């Protein structure tokens, strides 16, 4: 897994999957059959910030407090961030189903203990430039020099992400009988 570098987009607690990608778009979007996910990307985070998709740049990083991705189990909430160019999510905690969807689809989420406090103290803010070492769980805010330590991604999760998701991982590691 490589390091990521991008501008921070900071969000509060309890950003649910409807806020990430609203259910009103589910009927018109199949995440697995979209060329480059343009439809998914254009509705990403729009219920929090209607202009998010126009302002986010490839490489920008989501930084969230607790319980990111709570709500339904839709994979769209993972895909829309990826298709919008967001390479990873940093959160103090996220819902278990969101995390499994992320890993199963090869999308990195890093848990960072104390992230909520750091956000409230102003130690990490919207627009700060971040460097994220996913291998070691090290996050450096290049804007202010602060460093944070997240949980490193497990070896199995790294392998799944390198394979591009659980389906590809299982396919590559399946033994012939």
């Amino acid at each position: 897994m490589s390091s990521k570098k991008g501008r921070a987009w900071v969000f509060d607690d309890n950003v649910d999957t409807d806020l990430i990608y609203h259910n009103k778009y589910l009927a018109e979007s199949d995440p697995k059959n979209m060329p480059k996910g343009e439809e998914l990307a254009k509705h990403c985070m729009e219920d929090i910030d209607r202009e998010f998709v126009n302002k986010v740049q490839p490489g920008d990083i989501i930084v969230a407090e607790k319980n990111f991705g709570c709500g339904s189990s839709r994979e769209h909430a993972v895909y829309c961030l990826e298709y919008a160019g967001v390479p990873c999510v940093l959160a103090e905690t996220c819902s278990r189903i969101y995390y499994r969807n992320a890993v199963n689809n090869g999308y990195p989420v890093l848990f960072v203990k104390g992230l909520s406090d750091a956000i409230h103290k102003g130690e990490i803010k919207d627009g700060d430039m971040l460097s994220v070492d996913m291998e070691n769980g090290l996050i450096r805010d290049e804007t202010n020099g602060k460093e944070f330590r997240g949980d490193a991604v497990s070896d199995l999760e790294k392998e799944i992400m390198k394979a591009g998701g659980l389906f590809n991982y299982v396919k590559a590691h399946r033994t012939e009988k």
Side-chain angles (χ1 to χ4, degrees):
M1 299 184 73
S2 63
S3 293
K4 317 288 184 196
K5 189 169 186 172
R7 186 174 48 158
W9 287 85
V10 178
F11 295 94
D12 294 330
D13 291 334
N14 303 314
V15 174
D16 69 35
T17 52
D18 273 342
L19 294 174
I20 300 168
Y21 188 83
H22 200 278
N23 68 8
K24 65 187 169 193
Y25 301 115
L26 294 179
E28 62 189 62
S29 58
D30 179 354
K32 301 226 188 234
N33 294 322
M34 298 194 131
K36 299 186 182 155
E38 291 94 357
E39 190 65 28
L40 283 164
K42 80 179 185 183
H43 297 297
C44 184
M45 305 299 257
E46 76 177 17
D47 283 354
I48 295 175
D49 180 349
R50 282 215 160 308
E51 291 299 312
F52 176 83
V53 75
N54 296 321
K55 297 185 286 187
V56 69
Q57 299 293 312
D60 286 356
I61 297 167
I62 297 292
V63 178
E65 292 185 22
K66 297 176 182 171
N67 205 24
F68 185 81
C70 57
S72 76
S73 62
R74 74 180 64 114
E75 293 176 314
H76 299 67
V78 171
Y79 285 118
C80 74
L81 290 171
E82 179 181 11
Y83 294 147
V86 176
C88 66
V89 170
L90 308 177
E92 183 149 346
T93 64
C94 74
S95 76
R96 190 77 189 141
I97 192 68
Y98 185 87
Y99 184 68
R100 289 310 323 156
N101 277 334
V103 170
N104 290 347
N105 288 291
Y107 187 75
V109 173
L110 191 65
F111 296 113
V112 184
K113 189 173 181 136
L115 191 55
S116 295
D117 287 340
I119 290 168
H120 290 282
K121 291 176 184 174
E123 294 174 349
I124 188 167
K125 299 182 293 299
D126 266 337
D128 284 1
M129 187 56 68
L130 306 179
S131 295
V132 181
D133 178 348
M134 297 297 289
E135 290 279 332
N136 300 305
L138 183 64
I139 299 104
R140 179 171 169 75
D141 187 323
E142 302 291 342
T143 304
N144 63 28
K146 297 273 185 191
E147 289 189 352
F148 307 91
R149 173 83 45 198
D151 294 336
V153 178
S154 76
D155 290 340
L156 177 58
E157 291 165 336
K158 286 178 200 170
E159 291 301 315
I160 291 170
M161 289 178 201
K162 283 180 189 174
L166 185 60
F167 181 78
N168 291 336
Y169 174 82
V170 169
K171 192 170 150 184
H173 291 84
R174 167 174 71 193
T175 57
E176 298 296 328
K177 292 188 178 192

